[in-house]
Amino acid sequence: MAAPLGTGTFTEETGQEKQDTQEKDKAIPPERAEEAKLKAKYPNLGQKPGGSDFLMKRLQKGQKYFDSGDYNMAKAKMKNKQLPSAGPDKNLVTGDHIPTPQDLPQRKSSLVTSKLAG
Amino acid sequence: MAGAGGGNDIQWCFSQVKGAVDDDVAEADIISTVEFNHSGELLATGDKGGRVVIFQQEQENKTQSHSRGEYNVYSTFQSHEPEFDYLKSLEIEEKINKIRWLPQKNAAQFLLSTNDKTIKLWKISERDKRPEGYNLKEEDGRYRDPTTVTTLRVPVFRPMDLMVEASPRRIFANAHTYHINSISINSDYETYLSADDLRINLWHLEITDRSFNIVDIKPANMEELTEVITAAEFHPNSCSTFVYSSSKGTIRLCDMRASALCDRHSKLFEEPEDPSNRSFFSEIISSISDVKFSHSGRYMMTRDYLSVKIWDLNMENRPVETYQVHEYLRSKLCSLYENDCIFDKFECCWNGSDSIVMTGSYNNFFRMFDRNTKRDITLEASRENNKPRTVLKPRKVCASGKRKKDEISVDSLDFNKKILHTAWHPKENIIAVATTNNLYIFQDKMN
């Protein structure tokens, strides 16, 4: 017997499986159960998942903030002292350390040929 | 579909795989788009590193009648570079979001490629002859002393090794505040649209300093933002018609003859939701990640997180067909939300005759649905299956209960192995399937 479209079943239902499905119908639908799990883990989760907060984050992808004023003032202050180096972990840029162009991750274009062409 | 019997079922075989074998994938190598050209002779891929690689199908070998030509590298170039918008403090990724081919008009090939902000028209041309026998230049390019020239000759073209050159012919920039998700060439072959999260623009292929805004869904107050545009496409035959899909699971069909700004749709396609089934995840999983017209133009297909839907353009209130891609994930939505997989954007495609649709899933699985026989199949893109002319074995995911031999349980699926991009040759049963950093080509078994 072909499964009707949209029910999400791949296989024919045998007698045993029919009973299981009926039991499932009486139980909480899987989506709701998953929702309960999520709310249990993150009780502060907002009510509207598709709402403006979520969409705003999506629209702002790629935002990186750099204040040239701060940068130049710090550079001037540091002129007499030695510029603190980034330390062993170049990705850790915190505290008094002012990022210099050398410290920021390089955004060079791929000079290497794609491996698909290899 | 393979194995189920019936003479018309396609038997898929591995043909080729492109890309590195190593497990450590560099971010630049992540494939972000795959597209056949109109004849199917060329296959283009774009990646996160902003590079385009074009493969060309070999001419069929008369002696090897049991297989079609292989796809070999034809051209590769850097389409987009990373940029930084200093005014907005925005990093602009070089990732190629979409490639669309123009129909071939002359010897050269043209394609549009786009990243988040800029669309480029690339011309790919062949050079297989070069002029030789200049009077004033030596063969190596040095100029001859004119006083030493005693006779004149006519330079001739002589054959040379084929050189394929890619050059950017147009750059369409500065028209999108938000991130471009789609480009689509109009059937008039003169104009095209580009869509970002909130706006759709209409361009003329010859004009780069001007673009018309045809859809704008940005609310006056951004706090009232409730949905974004996720994909857009021109109708294949009707040059005034296009559709765009949204993050809320709706598709709007617009007619450019109705008004200059198509904010009011001509048709709104939306499947009514059962309110008793509504959950935190409902809207997220209903977000449409891809919309594609059938070649006939009568139908369109949409992909949301768990299903593929076919819509008849004449019926707005529900799809005519719905296919479940991986329904077993419905009971995993909590963890899929936590690891962000629920936001993965799967694409979908039609075969040349609009009888079969295909889309990707996790664990490097991809699915095909035969609209006529109503049969579906799950196949895997894996190097373990790479014996040419051996039919691929169908895969099965065990949702719950006893796992049969050869089945894989939902909890064993690798969610890092996603197939987001697939393409079907416009005429033949040849498909291109992109895993994270490899491109697989499968063909049907020819007897």
Side-chain angles (χ1 to χ4, degrees):
Chain A
M1 166 182 84
L5 288 172
T7 59
T9 51
F10 298 111
T11 56
E12 293 181 358
E13 290 191 12
T14 61
Q16 178 59 38
E17 288 174 44
K18 259 210 189 94
Q19 203 178 4
D20 287 340
T21 316
Q22 279 171 2
E23 280 173 358
K24 252 191 260 169
D25 284 336
K26 287 196 196 128
I28 308 166
E31 247 181 82
R32 286 281 178 83
E34 290 296 297
E35 181 179 17
K37 246 194 262 179
L38 193 70
K39 293 240 160 95
K41 272 194 187 177
Y42 309 102
N44 295 326
L45 205 56
Q47 281 310 302
K48 274 166 35 92
S52 63
D53 282 346
F54 163 65
L55 288 176
M56 288 296 282
K57 242 196 331 178
R58 177 190 170 136
L59 295 179
Q60 279 171 11
K61 171 187 92 159
Q63 205 90 39
K64 277 209 158 93
Y65 294 101
F66 172 77
D67 188 319
S68 59
D70 279 347
Y71 174 78
N72 285 311
M73 281 184 53
K75 235 178 50 169
K77 204 175 9 162
M78 294 292 195
K79 231 196 261 200
N80 302 326
K81 304 190 242 169
Q82 191 189 10
L83 223 63
S85 69
D89 184 0
K90 281 214 150 182
N91 291 325
L92 201 67
V93 177
T94 58
D96 286 323
H97 177 251
I98 306 299
T100 63
Q102 291 89 327
D103 296 334
L104 292 172
Q106 289 302 315
R107 298 243 53 239
K108 282 205 286 272
S109 67
S110 319
L111 299 172
V112 183
T113 312
S114 164
K115 293 194 180 122
L116 293 183
Chain B
M1 301 291 121
N8 292 328
D9 283 350
I10 304 173
Q11 300 196 292
W12 291 103
C13 303
F14 170 86
S15 175
Q16 297 168 268
V17 61
K18 309 278 185 191
V21 189
D22 52 64
D23 286 331
D24 197 15
V25 182
E27 199 154 315
D29 291 326
I30 296 173
I31 299 172
S32 50
T33 185
V34 182
E35 189 83 354
F36 280 101
N37 77 335
H38 292 258
S39 66
E41 187 204 353
L42 299 176
L43 175 61
T45 60
D47 65 22
K48 233 179 161 197
R51 301 164 298 191
V52 170
V53 182
I54 301 175
F55 302 93
Q56 181 189 44
Q57 191 179 27
E58 263 175 20
Q59 292 303 308
E60 270 176 49
N61 195 332
K62 294 277 162 51
T63 59
Q64 280 194 300
S65 57
H66 51 251
S67 71
R68 294 186 190 80
E70 276 198 344
Y71 282 84
N72 297 318
V73 179
Y74 178 66
S75 172
T76 175
F77 55 93
Q78 185 78 34
S79 172
H80 287 72
E81 311 238 330
E83 288 174 68
F84 197 89
D85 182 337
Y86 297 100
L87 188 63
K88 297 182 188 149
S89 281
L90 259 190
E91 201 164 42
I92 301 170
E93 269 193 311
E94 64 274 36
K95 172 169 76 92
I96 309 293
N97 293 333
K98 286 282 174 354
I99 288 173
R100 290 287 181 263
W101 289 93
L102 266 69
Q104 191 173 12
K105 281 196 285 197
N106 52 37
Q109 300 278 356
F110 289 86
L111 60 78
L112 284 177
S113 72
T114 186
N115 70 349
D116 282 341
K117 295 289 183 183
T118 304
I119 306 128
K120 295 188 184 181
L121 176 70
W122 285 90
K123 175 180 180 181
I124 297 111
S125 48
E126 292 184 1
R127 193 194 292 268
D128 61 356
K129 293 185 267 288
R130 69 157 176 261
E132 283 178 22
Y134 285 111
N135 291 291
L136 294 176
K137 261 203 291 197
E138 304 286 0
E139 293 306 330
D140 60 10
R142 279 180 303 144
Y143 282 96
R144 288 169 73 183
D145 179 356
T147 57
T148 63
V149 176
T150 52
T151 58
L152 288 178
R153 56 187 175 171
V154 178
V156 293
F157 275 96
R158 293 217 189 280
M160 61 180 255
D161 287 340
L162 179 67
M163 213 167 69
V164 182
E165 302 167 321
S167 60
R169 304 303 285 179
R170 306 269 185 278
I171 298 184
F172 305 92
N174 301 320
H176 286 278
T177 307
Y178 303 99
H179 298 110
I180 297 173
N181 53 56
S182 313
I183 45 175
S184 177
I185 298 170
N186 201 344
S187 50
D188 66 8
Y189 300 152
E190 284 189 341
T191 58
Y192 74 94
L193 64 75
S194 57
D196 67 30
D197 291 317
L198 297 178
R199 299 194 178 99
I200 302 179
N201 293 332
L202 181 71
W203 302 83
H204 190 286
L205 285 164
E206 300 289 325
I207 299 168
T208 57
D209 64 354
R210 222 171 315 170
S211 168
F212 289 102
N213 177 242
I214 52 176
V215 172
D216 188 339
I217 65 167
K218 184 176 179 190
N221 181 0
M222 280 300 265
E223 305 260 307
E224 291 161 24
L225 181 68
T226 54
E227 69 183 320
V228 295
I229 297 169
T230 52
E233 196 179 48
F234 263 121
H235 190 275
N237 307 317
S238 168
C239 58
S240 56
T241 307
F242 66 93
V243 293
Y244 67 93
S245 59
S246 85
S247 53
K248 276 185 153 176
T250 63
I251 309 103
R252 286 173 176 78
L253 184 144
C254 301
D255 190 326
M256 295 194 293
R257 295 168 297 188
S259 69
L261 190 59
C262 299
D263 278 358
R264 280 176 41 207
H265 55 261
S266 300
K267 293 194 185 202
L268 173 66
F269 298 84
E270 187 173 15
E271 185 167 23
E273 196 192 10
D274 181 359
S276 65
N277 277 344
R278 190 156 179 82
S279 76
F280 175 88
F281 304 110
S282 301
E283 194 173 301
I284 301 174
I285 62 172
S286 72
S287 176
I288 292 171
S289 49
D290 194 15
V291 64
K292 292 260 169 52
F293 277 106
S294 64
H295 294 90
S296 64
R298 166 86 192 265
Y299 300 98
M300 67 179 173
M301 164 168 55
T302 57
R303 175 71 155 98
D304 52 73
Y305 190 60
L306 297 178
S307 68
V308 162
K309 294 180 180 169
I310 312 279
W311 304 78
D312 184 324
L313 293 192
N314 298 315
M315 186 161 77
E316 297 167 61
N317 61 356
R318 61 179 169 81
V320 289
E321 293 154 40
T322 301
Y323 301 103
Q324 301 300 336
V325 181
H326 35 219
E327 178 67 14
Y328 45 78
L329 295 184
R330 201 179 285 269
S331 49
K332 302 286 171 197
L333 293 177
C334 179
S335 34
L336 291 169
Y337 180 87
E338 289 181 292
N339 63 19
D340 274 354
C341 283
I342 205 174
F343 302 109
D344 285 336
K345 296 184 177 53
F346 291 95
E347 291 175 7
C348 52
C349 62
W350 299 84
N351 74 338
S353 58
D354 298 336
S355 60
I356 307 175
V357 296
M358 169 167 67
T359 189
S361 178
Y362 295 104
N363 210 71
N364 283 347
F365 288 170
F366 57 101
R367 306 260 288 132
M368 291 186 197
F369 302 93
D370 188 317
R371 299 176 63 213
N372 298 324
T373 66
K374 300 301 181 207
R375 281 202 288 263
D376 61 80
I377 191 170
T378 306
L379 297 172
E380 183 179 1
S382 146
R383 282 174 188 272
E384 284 167 19
N385 305 328
N386 59 1
K387 279 204 292 267
R389 294 202 302 284
T390 308
V391 177
L392 293 179
K393 197 169 88 152
R395 296 276 176 241
K396 188 107 197 289
V397 177
C398 168
S400 60
K402 284 200 296 271
R403 186 178 75 88
K404 299 197 188 80
K405 183 174 96 97
D406 285 349
E407 283 185 359
I408 180 166
S409 78
V410 185
D411 297 311
S412 311
L413 294 174
D414 187 342
F415 290 95
N416 290 318
K417 295 192 176 164
K418 325 169 198 247
I419 290 181
L420 304 174
H421 312 285
T422 59
W424 203 308
H425 188 290
K427 304 186 174 84
E428 312 272 353
N429 283 330
I430 301 173
I431 55 176
V433 174
T435 59
T436 305
N437 64 329
N438 285 171
L439 182 72
Y440 286 79
I441 298 173
F442 301 101
Q443 296 183 4
D444 68 352
K445 190 182 176 103
M446 288 174 83
N447 293 311

